[in-house]
Amino acid sequence: MLLKKILLLLGIFFSTTACAFAEDGIIDTGDTAWVTMATALVMIMTPAGLALFYGGMSRYKNMLNTIAMTLVAYCLASIVWVGWGYSLAFGESSNLFIGNLKHLFLNGIDIHSVSGTIPTILFVLFQMTFACISIALILGSVVDRMKFSSWIIFTILWVTFVYTPVCNWAWGGGWMHKIGALDFAGGNVVHINAGVSGLVLALFLGKRHGYKKEAMIPSSVAFTALGAGFLWFGWFGFNAGSALAADGIAASAFMVTNTAAAMAGLAWLLVEWQYSKKPTLLGLASGVIAGLVGITPAAGFVSLTGALVIGVVSGIIGFFGVAVLKHKLGYDDSLDAFGIHGLCGMWGAIATGFFANPSITEGAAGLFYGNPKQVWIQFLSIIGTIVFSATATFIVVMTTKILTNGIRVDSDDELAGLDNALHGERAFEIE
């Protein structure tokens, strides 16, 4: 009996000590396992999900080029991130606009470094996947007409000089964080940033040959739908993983992410069916992505009600951004990166200011929960992102043009198709 009491007291002591250590930054195995899985989920979104989604929407003669540009963007962003991107985004700095180079090539970070309750190396990897998909999203605005070499240079410069500052503002202790802007998983950092940058790049490149004069039929809507499925699956890591813990907030983010995506897919389908008299698979898949974009900044802050509203409106905004606004204004956003990611990202960011529920995340309250000021804060963060992204991307584009002697492919190559002209390959062999 005495031995049992001693063992019981030792057990209580060590369990209490372990809890105290966990609060002070000791690795939690459950959190680490979940964020490891979430990182893998987000990783698959770019070289598999987005490659299929964009590849299927591009024309047959450019399908392989689209997939290649997606894959090379992932490779390049991965190296930039571990080289200097992470340090610029998350290195502690006295200013509110950019980090430092203290962690150049992950200097000072080893297997014993801890961020919260997970290894810092894992946090670096998780954030890396966000940088990778952000640059890849921009590709949707410019497929069919950008030089591969220019895309490589643009990717390196954009991740360095456009992505890392906005990431620092929202998540690295910058000015957005200081004013209390809410961006759970990347409304500003990923979607508005990439969508606006894509529009700037598309306007600079100009319209594709034959735009509005000839049919530009997707090579495989089936591939696009499959890609949407991969993206939907990976987005659970994107949003629920951003809790950086295996807890109730992660579970809630998982639930509202799925709900908003499903609601937006149905909303787009019904609006399209009424508008054009045809319920298309491409529209349904695009609606799902619109809903995923819209819920991203709000995922850890809103309840089911907020998710339903955000989903419905995202589907409607996405459809009219793609089917109406683009054609009214006449710009050629090839695969609608701005129409879906830019516009729905803005809606999601502002909607967070309305629907943020303090019962989900303590201290995060929106207009409908007694804090109208949050709407204004969200608006400021959106405007700041738009202005910076547009300006910085223009500078990056001009620099890329100088370094690569122009960024648009030759007219003959564009007409013939970039798969064979640039890569000497074809996506499929046709007898």
Side-chain angles (χ1 to χ4, degrees), residues 307-343:
L308 289 168
V309 176
I310 289 172
V312 169
V313 178
S314 293
I316 295 171
I317 288 176
F319 173 77
F320 282 102
V322 169
V324 179
L325 182 65
K326 180 173 74 170
H327 298 290
K328 289 284 186 182
L329 298 181
Y331 59 87
D332 185 9
D333 178 7
S334 308
L335 308 182
D336 304 304
F338 177 72
I340 293 178
H341 296 278
L343 294 180

PDB file of all heavy atoms in Angstrom, residues 307-343:
ATOM      1  N   ALA A 307     -20.493  30.496 -41.298  1.00  0.00           N
ATOM      2  CA  ALA A 307     -20.005  29.687 -42.409  1.00  0.00           C
ATOM      3  C   ALA A 307     -21.047  29.563 -43.519  1.00  0.00           C
ATOM      4  O   ALA A 307     -20.717  29.626 -44.713  1.00  0.00           O
ATOM      5  CB  ALA A 307     -19.603  28.302 -41.908  1.00  0.00           C
ATOM      6  N   LEU A 308     -22.297  29.387 -43.136  1.00  0.00           N
ATOM      7  CA  LEU A 308     -23.366  29.271 -44.140  1.00  0.00           C
ATOM      8  C   LEU A 308     -23.501  30.555 -44.955  1.00  0.00           C
ATOM      9  O   LEU A 308     -23.595  30.518 -46.181  1.00  0.00           O
ATOM     10  CB  LEU A 308     -24.683  28.939 -43.444  1.00  0.00           C
ATOM     11  CG  LEU A 308     -24.798  27.521 -42.861  1.00  0.00           C
ATOM     12  CD1 LEU A 308     -26.012  27.421 -41.950  1.00  0.00           C
ATOM     13  CD2 LEU A 308     -24.878  26.487 -43.980  1.00  0.00           C
ATOM     14  N   VAL A 309     -23.490  31.692 -44.271  1.00  0.00           N
ATOM     15  CA  VAL A 309     -23.618  32.977 -44.972  1.00  0.00           C
ATOM     16  C   VAL A 309     -22.393  33.248 -45.835  1.00  0.00           C
ATOM     17  O   VAL A 309     -22.511  33.647 -47.010  1.00  0.00           O
ATOM     18  CB  VAL A 309     -23.827  34.129 -43.966  1.00  0.00           C
ATOM     19  CG1 VAL A 309     -23.859  35.473 -44.695  1.00  0.00           C
ATOM     20  CG2 VAL A 309     -25.106  33.918 -43.169  1.00  0.00           C
ATOM     21  N   ILE A 310     -21.216  33.026 -45.284  1.00  0.00           N
ATOM     22  CA  ILE A 310     -19.988  33.255 -46.046  1.00  0.00           C
ATOM     23  C   ILE A 310     -19.957  32.366 -47.278  1.00  0.00           C
ATOM     24  O   ILE A 310     -19.567  32.799 -48.366  1.00  0.00           O
ATOM     25  CB  ILE A 310     -18.747  33.000 -45.151  1.00  0.00           C
ATOM     26  CG1 ILE A 310     -18.616  34.106 -44.105  1.00  0.00           C
ATOM     27  CG2 ILE A 310     -17.475  32.917 -45.995  1.00  0.00           C
ATOM     28  CD1 ILE A 310     -17.556  33.858 -43.058  1.00  0.00           C
ATOM     29  N   GLY A 311     -20.406  31.114 -47.139  1.00  0.00           N
ATOM     30  CA  GLY A 311     -20.430  30.199 -48.269  1.00  0.00           C
ATOM     31  C   GLY A 311     -21.371  30.648 -49.379  1.00  0.00           C
ATOM     32  O   GLY A 311     -20.992  30.683 -50.556  1.00  0.00           O
ATOM     33  N   VAL A 312     -22.589  31.010 -49.017  1.00  0.00           N
ATOM     34  CA  VAL A 312     -23.574  31.448 -50.023  1.00  0.00           C
ATOM     35  C   VAL A 312     -23.070  32.664 -50.789  1.00  0.00           C
ATOM     36  O   VAL A 312     -23.080  32.701 -52.028  1.00  0.00           O
ATOM     37  CB  VAL A 312     -24.925  31.767 -49.357  1.00  0.00           C
ATOM     38  CG1 VAL A 312     -25.856  32.468 -50.340  1.00  0.00           C
ATOM     39  CG2 VAL A 312     -25.581  30.500 -48.852  1.00  0.00           C
ATOM     40  N   VAL A 313     -22.624  33.658 -50.066  1.00  0.00           N
ATOM     41  CA  VAL A 313     -22.175  34.894 -50.710  1.00  0.00           C
ATOM     42  C   VAL A 313     -20.908  34.657 -51.539  1.00  0.00           C
ATOM     43  O   VAL A 313     -20.750  35.232 -52.618  1.00  0.00           O
ATOM     44  CB  VAL A 313     -21.961  36.010 -49.667  1.00  0.00           C
ATOM     45  CG1 VAL A 313     -21.445  37.279 -50.329  1.00  0.00           C
ATOM     46  CG2 VAL A 313     -23.258  36.292 -48.925  1.00  0.00           C
ATOM     47  N   SER A 314     -20.027  33.806 -51.072  1.00  0.00           N
ATOM     48  CA  SER A 314     -18.811  33.494 -51.834  1.00  0.00           C
ATOM     49  C   SER A 314     -19.159  32.887 -53.184  1.00  0.00           C
ATOM     50  O   SER A 314     -18.565  33.233 -54.222  1.00  0.00           O
ATOM     51  CB  SER A 314     -17.922  32.528 -51.050  1.00  0.00           C
ATOM     52  OG  SER A 314     -17.395  33.116 -49.892  1.00  0.00           O
ATOM     53  N   GLY A 315     -20.120  31.962 -53.190  1.00  0.00           N
ATOM     54  CA  GLY A 315     -20.531  31.350 -54.452  1.00  0.00           C
ATOM     55  C   GLY A 315     -21.104  32.365 -55.423  1.00  0.00           C
ATOM     56  O   GLY A 315     -20.811  32.332 -56.624  1.00  0.00           O
ATOM     57  N   ILE A 316     -21.896  33.290 -54.909  1.00  0.00           N
ATOM     58  CA  ILE A 316     -22.508  34.316 -55.763  1.00  0.00           C
ATOM     59  C   ILE A 316     -21.464  35.301 -56.269  1.00  0.00           C
ATOM     60  O   ILE A 316     -21.417  35.639 -57.459  1.00  0.00           O
ATOM     61  CB  ILE A 316     -23.619  35.052 -54.982  1.00  0.00           C
ATOM     62  CG1 ILE A 316     -24.752  34.081 -54.647  1.00  0.00           C
ATOM     63  CG2 ILE A 316     -24.149  36.240 -55.785  1.00  0.00           C
ATOM     64  CD1 ILE A 316     -25.795  34.654 -53.692  1.00  0.00           C
ATOM     65  N   ILE A 317     -20.603  35.776 -55.368  1.00  0.00           N
ATOM     66  CA  ILE A 317     -19.553  36.721 -55.766  1.00  0.00           C
ATOM     67  C   ILE A 317     -18.617  36.074 -56.775  1.00  0.00           C
ATOM     68  O   ILE A 317     -18.238  36.687 -57.782  1.00  0.00           O
ATOM     69  CB  ILE A 317     -18.757  37.192 -54.531  1.00  0.00           C
ATOM     70  CG1 ILE A 317     -19.596  38.143 -53.687  1.00  0.00           C
ATOM     71  CG2 ILE A 317     -17.454  37.884 -54.954  1.00  0.00           C
ATOM     72  CD1 ILE A 317     -18.923  38.571 -52.398  1.00  0.00           C
ATOM     73  N   GLY A 318     -18.229  34.822 -56.522  1.00  0.00           N
ATOM     74  CA  GLY A 318     -17.337  34.125 -57.440  1.00  0.00           C
ATOM     75  C   GLY A 318     -17.929  34.009 -58.831  1.00  0.00           C
ATOM     76  O   GLY A 318     -17.256  34.276 -59.834  1.00  0.00           O
ATOM     77  N   PHE A 319     -19.201  33.640 -58.903  1.00  0.00           N
ATOM     78  CA  PHE A 319     -19.841  33.487 -60.215  1.00  0.00           C
ATOM     79  C   PHE A 319     -19.887  34.799 -60.974  1.00  0.00           C
ATOM     80  O   PHE A 319     -19.501  34.865 -62.146  1.00  0.00           O
ATOM     81  CB  PHE A 319     -21.264  32.942 -60.059  1.00  0.00           C
ATOM     82  CG  PHE A 319     -22.020  32.921 -61.367  1.00  0.00           C
ATOM     83  CD1 PHE A 319     -21.771  31.933 -62.300  1.00  0.00           C
ATOM     84  CD2 PHE A 319     -22.948  33.913 -61.670  1.00  0.00           C
ATOM     85  CE1 PHE A 319     -22.437  31.922 -63.530  1.00  0.00           C
ATOM     86  CE2 PHE A 319     -23.617  33.907 -62.879  1.00  0.00           C
ATOM     87  CZ  PHE A 319     -23.366  32.910 -63.813  1.00  0.00           C
ATOM     88  N   PHE A 320     -20.342  35.855 -60.329  1.00  0.00           N
ATOM     89  CA  PHE A 320     -20.448  37.128 -61.038  1.00  0.00           C
ATOM     90  C   PHE A 320     -19.073  37.742 -61.326  1.00  0.00           C
ATOM     91  O   PHE A 320     -18.902  38.445 -62.325  1.00  0.00           O
ATOM     92  CB  PHE A 320     -21.341  38.095 -60.258  1.00  0.00           C
ATOM     93  CG  PHE A 320     -22.808  37.811 -60.424  1.00  0.00           C
ATOM     94  CD1 PHE A 320     -23.522  37.149 -59.435  1.00  0.00           C
ATOM     95  CD2 PHE A 320     -23.464  38.162 -61.597  1.00  0.00           C
ATOM     96  CE1 PHE A 320     -24.878  36.864 -59.605  1.00  0.00           C
ATOM     97  CE2 PHE A 320     -24.817  37.881 -61.781  1.00  0.00           C
ATOM     98  CZ  PHE A 320     -25.524  37.231 -60.777  1.00  0.00           C
ATOM     99  N   GLY A 321     -18.094  37.457 -60.476  1.00  0.00           N
ATOM    100  CA  GLY A 321     -16.740  37.920 -60.762  1.00  0.00           C
ATOM    101  C   GLY A 321     -16.176  37.288 -62.012  1.00  0.00           C
ATOM    102  O   GLY A 321     -15.465  37.924 -62.805  1.00  0.00           O
ATOM    103  N   VAL A 322     -16.510  36.012 -62.213  1.00  0.00           N
ATOM    104  CA  VAL A 322     -16.001  35.262 -63.369  1.00  0.00           C
ATOM    105  C   VAL A 322     -16.871  35.462 -64.608  1.00  0.00           C
ATOM    106  O   VAL A 322     -16.369  35.701 -65.702  1.00  0.00           O
ATOM    107  CB  VAL A 322     -15.929  33.764 -63.020  1.00  0.00           C
ATOM    108  CG1 VAL A 322     -15.675  32.927 -64.270  1.00  0.00           C
ATOM    109  CG2 VAL A 322     -14.846  33.521 -61.978  1.00  0.00           C
ATOM    110  N   ALA A 323     -18.188  35.377 -64.433  1.00  0.00           N
ATOM    111  CA  ALA A 323     -19.088  35.383 -65.583  1.00  0.00           C
ATOM    112  C   ALA A 323     -19.507  36.775 -66.040  1.00  0.00           C
ATOM    113  O   ALA A 323     -19.908  36.952 -67.190  1.00  0.00           O
ATOM    114  CB  ALA A 323     -20.345  34.569 -65.247  1.00  0.00           C
ATOM    115  N   VAL A 324     -19.424  37.764 -65.152  1.00  0.00           N
ATOM    116  CA  VAL A 324     -19.929  39.096 -65.493  1.00  0.00           C
ATOM    117  C   VAL A 324     -18.834  40.161 -65.445  1.00  0.00           C
ATOM    118  O   VAL A 324     -18.530  40.813 -66.442  1.00  0.00           O
ATOM    119  CB  VAL A 324     -21.095  39.498 -64.560  1.00  0.00           C
ATOM    120  CG1 VAL A 324     -21.586  40.899 -64.903  1.00  0.00           C
ATOM    121  CG2 VAL A 324     -22.227  38.485 -64.638  1.00  0.00           C
ATOM    122  N   LEU A 325     -18.226  40.337 -64.259  1.00  0.00           N
ATOM    123  CA  LEU A 325     -17.274  41.436 -64.071  1.00  0.00           C
ATOM    124  C   LEU A 325     -16.102  41.369 -65.045  1.00  0.00           C
ATOM    125  O   LEU A 325     -15.742  42.386 -65.655  1.00  0.00           O
ATOM    126  CB  LEU A 325     -16.750  41.413 -62.632  1.00  0.00           C
ATOM    127  CG  LEU A 325     -15.775  42.532 -62.256  1.00  0.00           C
ATOM    128  CD1 LEU A 325     -16.482  43.887 -62.303  1.00  0.00           C
ATOM    129  CD2 LEU A 325     -15.171  42.293 -60.877  1.00  0.00           C
ATOM    130  N   LYS A 326     -15.496  40.210 -65.197  1.00  0.00           N
ATOM    131  CA  LYS A 326     -14.341  40.068 -66.082  1.00  0.00           C
ATOM    132  C   LYS A 326     -14.685  40.470 -67.511  1.00  0.00           C
ATOM    133  O   LYS A 326     -13.903  41.149 -68.181  1.00  0.00           O
ATOM    134  CB  LYS A 326     -13.823  38.630 -66.041  1.00  0.00           C
ATOM    135  CG  LYS A 326     -12.609  38.385 -66.930  1.00  0.00           C
ATOM    136  CD  LYS A 326     -12.027  37.009 -66.735  1.00  0.00           C
ATOM    137  CE  LYS A 326     -12.870  35.939 -67.369  1.00  0.00           C
ATOM    138  NZ  LYS A 326     -12.162  34.626 -67.375  1.00  0.00           N
ATOM    139  N   HIS A 327     -15.845  40.067 -67.955  1.00  0.00           N
ATOM    140  CA  HIS A 327     -16.231  40.374 -69.340  1.00  0.00           C
ATOM    141  C   HIS A 327     -16.666  41.825 -69.502  1.00  0.00           C
ATOM    142  O   HIS A 327     -16.452  42.435 -70.555  1.00  0.00           O
ATOM    143  CB  HIS A 327     -17.336  39.412 -69.775  1.00  0.00           C
ATOM    144  CG  HIS A 327     -16.900  37.973 -69.779  1.00  0.00           C
ATOM    145  ND1 HIS A 327     -16.004  37.467 -70.683  1.00  0.00           N
ATOM    146  CD2 HIS A 327     -17.213  36.954 -68.942  1.00  0.00           C
ATOM    147  CE1 HIS A 327     -15.784  36.190 -70.434  1.00  0.00           C
ATOM    148  NE2 HIS A 327     -16.511  35.855 -69.385  1.00  0.00           N
ATOM    149  N   LYS A 328     -17.270  42.386 -68.475  1.00  0.00           N
ATOM    150  CA  LYS A 328     -17.646  43.800 -68.531  1.00  0.00           C
ATOM    151  C   LYS A 328     -16.416  44.698 -68.607  1.00  0.00           C
ATOM    152  O   LYS A 328     -16.376  45.681 -69.356  1.00  0.00           O
ATOM    153  CB  LYS A 328     -18.483  44.171 -67.303  1.00  0.00           C
ATOM    154  CG  LYS A 328     -19.880  43.583 -67.279  1.00  0.00           C
ATOM    155  CD  LYS A 328     -20.811  44.315 -68.230  1.00  0.00           C
ATOM    156  CE  LYS A 328     -22.241  43.807 -68.067  1.00  0.00           C
ATOM    157  NZ  LYS A 328     -23.167  44.477 -69.029  1.00  0.00           N
ATOM    158  N   LEU A 329     -15.402  44.373 -67.799  1.00  0.00           N
ATOM    159  CA  LEU A 329     -14.199  45.206 -67.750  1.00  0.00           C
ATOM    160  C   LEU A 329     -13.181  44.828 -68.818  1.00  0.00           C
ATOM    161  O   LEU A 329     -12.269  45.614 -69.108  1.00  0.00           O
ATOM    162  CB  LEU A 329     -13.561  45.111 -66.356  1.00  0.00           C
ATOM    163  CG  LEU A 329     -14.437  45.607 -65.193  1.00  0.00           C
ATOM    164  CD1 LEU A 329     -13.689  45.488 -63.875  1.00  0.00           C
ATOM    165  CD2 LEU A 329     -14.886  47.061 -65.426  1.00  0.00           C
ATOM    166  N   GLY A 330     -13.279  43.622 -69.362  1.00  0.00           N
ATOM    167  CA  GLY A 330     -12.464  43.250 -70.507  1.00  0.00           C
ATOM    168  C   GLY A 330     -11.064  42.752 -70.215  1.00  0.00           C
ATOM    169  O   GLY A 330     -10.263  42.574 -71.133  1.00  0.00           O
ATOM    170  N   TYR A 331     -10.706  42.491 -68.953  1.00  0.00           N
ATOM    171  CA  TYR A 331      -9.364  41.977 -68.679  1.00  0.00           C
ATOM    172  C   TYR A 331      -9.346  40.456 -68.867  1.00  0.00           C
ATOM    173  O   TYR A 331     -10.374  39.785 -68.767  1.00  0.00           O
ATOM    174  CB  TYR A 331      -8.897  42.353 -67.266  1.00  0.00           C
ATOM    175  CG  TYR A 331      -9.778  41.858 -66.144  1.00  0.00           C
ATOM    176  CD1 TYR A 331      -9.600  40.589 -65.595  1.00  0.00           C
ATOM    177  CD2 TYR A 331     -10.781  42.673 -65.603  1.00  0.00           C
ATOM    178  CE1 TYR A 331     -10.396  40.144 -64.561  1.00  0.00           C
ATOM    179  CE2 TYR A 331     -11.575  42.239 -64.556  1.00  0.00           C
ATOM    180  CZ  TYR A 331     -11.388  40.968 -64.041  1.00  0.00           C
ATOM    181  OH  TYR A 331     -12.182  40.527 -63.018  1.00  0.00           O
ATOM    182  N   ASP A 332      -8.177  39.910 -69.151  1.00  0.00           N
ATOM    183  CA  ASP A 332      -8.043  38.479 -69.420  1.00  0.00           C
ATOM    184  C   ASP A 332      -7.360  37.784 -68.247  1.00  0.00           C
ATOM    185  O   ASP A 332      -6.144  37.594 -68.225  1.00  0.00           O
ATOM    186  CB  ASP A 332      -7.239  38.259 -70.720  1.00  0.00           C
ATOM    187  CG  ASP A 332      -7.176  36.785 -71.122  1.00  0.00           C
ATOM    188  OD1 ASP A 332      -7.884  35.977 -70.493  1.00  0.00           O
ATOM    189  OD2 ASP A 332      -6.419  36.465 -72.055  1.00  0.00           O
ATOM    190  N   ASP A 333      -8.153  37.436 -67.261  1.00  0.00           N
ATOM    191  CA  ASP A 333      -7.698  36.657 -66.113  1.00  0.00           C
ATOM    192  C   ASP A 333      -7.975  35.201 -66.481  1.00  0.00           C
ATOM    193  O   ASP A 333      -9.057  34.681 -66.230  1.00  0.00           O
ATOM    194  CB  ASP A 333      -8.483  37.096 -64.874  1.00  0.00           C
ATOM    195  CG  ASP A 333      -8.130  36.328 -63.617  1.00  0.00           C
ATOM    196  OD1 ASP A 333      -7.182  35.531 -63.670  1.00  0.00           O
ATOM    197  OD2 ASP A 333      -8.808  36.528 -62.589  1.00  0.00           O
ATOM    198  N   SER A 334      -6.996  34.535 -67.093  1.00  0.00           N
ATOM    199  CA  SER A 334      -7.199  33.266 -67.796  1.00  0.00           C
ATOM    200  C   SER A 334      -8.057  32.266 -67.034  1.00  0.00           C
ATOM    201  O   SER A 334      -9.070  31.781 -67.536  1.00  0.00           O
ATOM    202  CB  SER A 334      -5.859  32.619 -68.129  1.00  0.00           C
ATOM    203  OG  SER A 334      -5.009  33.498 -68.803  1.00  0.00           O
ATOM    204  N   LEU A 335      -7.656  31.923 -65.826  1.00  0.00           N
ATOM    205  CA  LEU A 335      -8.354  30.903 -65.049  1.00  0.00           C
ATOM    206  C   LEU A 335      -8.993  31.480 -63.791  1.00  0.00           C
ATOM    207  O   LEU A 335      -9.296  30.775 -62.843  1.00  0.00           O
ATOM    208  CB  LEU A 335      -7.387  29.769 -64.679  1.00  0.00           C
ATOM    209  CG  LEU A 335      -6.605  29.150 -65.835  1.00  0.00           C
ATOM    210  CD1 LEU A 335      -5.730  28.006 -65.339  1.00  0.00           C
ATOM    211  CD2 LEU A 335      -7.517  28.689 -66.951  1.00  0.00           C
ATOM    212  N   ASP A 336      -9.186  32.795 -63.801  1.00  0.00           N
ATOM    213  CA  ASP A 336      -9.976  33.501 -62.784  1.00  0.00           C
ATOM    214  C   ASP A 336      -9.373  33.488 -61.385  1.00  0.00           C
ATOM    215  O   ASP A 336     -10.065  33.332 -60.372  1.00  0.00           O
ATOM    216  CB  ASP A 336     -11.401  32.932 -62.738  1.00  0.00           C
ATOM    217  CG  ASP A 336     -12.077  33.004 -64.095  1.00  0.00           C
ATOM    218  OD1 ASP A 336     -12.150  34.108 -64.646  1.00  0.00           O
ATOM    219  OD2 ASP A 336     -12.487  31.949 -64.620  1.00  0.00           O
ATOM    220  N   ALA A 337      -8.075  33.716 -61.326  1.00  0.00           N
ATOM    221  CA  ALA A 337      -7.417  33.817 -60.021  1.00  0.00           C
ATOM    222  C   ALA A 337      -7.933  35.027 -59.250  1.00  0.00           C
ATOM    223  O   ALA A 337      -8.177  34.953 -58.039  1.00  0.00           O
ATOM    224  CB  ALA A 337      -5.903  33.903 -60.188  1.00  0.00           C
ATOM    225  N   PHE A 338      -8.109  36.150 -59.942  1.00  0.00           N
ATOM    226  CA  PHE A 338      -8.623  37.335 -59.259  1.00  0.00           C
ATOM    227  C   PHE A 338     -10.111  37.180 -58.966  1.00  0.00           C
ATOM    228  O   PHE A 338     -10.573  37.501 -57.862  1.00  0.00           O
ATOM    229  CB  PHE A 338      -8.402  38.593 -60.097  1.00  0.00           C
ATOM    230  CG  PHE A 338      -8.986  39.833 -59.475  1.00  0.00           C
ATOM    231  CD1 PHE A 338      -8.397  40.406 -58.361  1.00  0.00           C
ATOM    232  CD2 PHE A 338     -10.150  40.409 -59.984  1.00  0.00           C
ATOM    233  CE1 PHE A 338      -8.957  41.544 -57.757  1.00  0.00           C
ATOM    234  CE2 PHE A 338     -10.710  41.542 -59.403  1.00  0.00           C
ATOM    235  CZ  PHE A 338     -10.107  42.103 -58.286  1.00  0.00           C
ATOM    236  N   GLY A 339     -10.875  36.684 -59.936  1.00  0.00           N
ATOM    237  CA  GLY A 339     -12.319  36.554 -59.761  1.00  0.00           C
ATOM    238  C   GLY A 339     -12.703  35.672 -58.593  1.00  0.00           C
ATOM    239  O   GLY A 339     -13.704  35.935 -57.908  1.00  0.00           O
ATOM    240  N   ILE A 340     -11.930  34.629 -58.336  1.00  0.00           N
ATOM    241  CA  ILE A 340     -12.242  33.718 -57.232  1.00  0.00           C
ATOM    242  C   ILE A 340     -11.418  34.039 -55.988  1.00  0.00           C
ATOM    243  O   ILE A 340     -11.959  34.309 -54.916  1.00  0.00           O
ATOM    244  CB  ILE A 340     -12.027  32.249 -57.667  1.00  0.00           C
ATOM    245  CG1 ILE A 340     -13.063  31.869 -58.738  1.00  0.00           C
ATOM    246  CG2 ILE A 340     -12.132  31.314 -56.458  1.00  0.00           C
ATOM    247  CD1 ILE A 340     -12.924  30.460 -59.275  1.00  0.00           C
ATOM    248  N   HIS A 341     -10.118  34.070 -56.125  1.00  0.00           N
ATOM    249  CA  HIS A 341      -9.273  34.251 -54.937  1.00  0.00           C
ATOM    250  C   HIS A 341      -9.258  35.704 -54.465  1.00  0.00           C
ATOM    251  O   HIS A 341      -9.352  35.970 -53.268  1.00  0.00           O
ATOM    252  CB  HIS A 341      -7.863  33.754 -55.231  1.00  0.00           C
ATOM    253  CG  HIS A 341      -7.820  32.277 -55.494  1.00  0.00           C
ATOM    254  ND1 HIS A 341      -7.787  31.345 -54.486  1.00  0.00           N
ATOM    255  CD2 HIS A 341      -7.860  31.589 -56.657  1.00  0.00           C
ATOM    256  CE1 HIS A 341      -7.802  30.133 -55.019  1.00  0.00           C
ATOM    257  NE2 HIS A 341      -7.842  30.249 -56.324  1.00  0.00           N
ATOM    258  N   GLY A 342      -9.123  36.638 -55.405  1.00  0.00           N
ATOM    259  CA  GLY A 342      -9.086  38.041 -55.015  1.00  0.00           C
ATOM    260  C   GLY A 342     -10.399  38.512 -54.427  1.00  0.00           C
ATOM    261  O   GLY A 342     -10.458  39.011 -53.291  1.00  0.00           O
ATOM    262  N   LEU A 343     -11.479  38.341 -55.182  1.00  0.00           N
ATOM    263  CA  LEU A 343     -12.785  38.860 -54.750  1.00  0.00           C
ATOM    264  C   LEU A 343     -13.339  38.111 -53.539  1.00  0.00           C
ATOM    265  O   LEU A 343     -13.826  38.720 -52.580  1.00  0.00           O
ATOM    266  CB  LEU A 343     -13.778  38.813 -55.908  1.00  0.00           C
ATOM    267  CG  LEU A 343     -13.476  39.729 -57.100  1.00  0.00           C
ATOM    268  CD1 LEU A 343     -14.549  39.571 -58.176  1.00  0.00           C
ATOM    269  CD2 LEU A 343     -13.392  41.196 -56.660  1.00  0.00           C
TER     270      LEU A 343
END
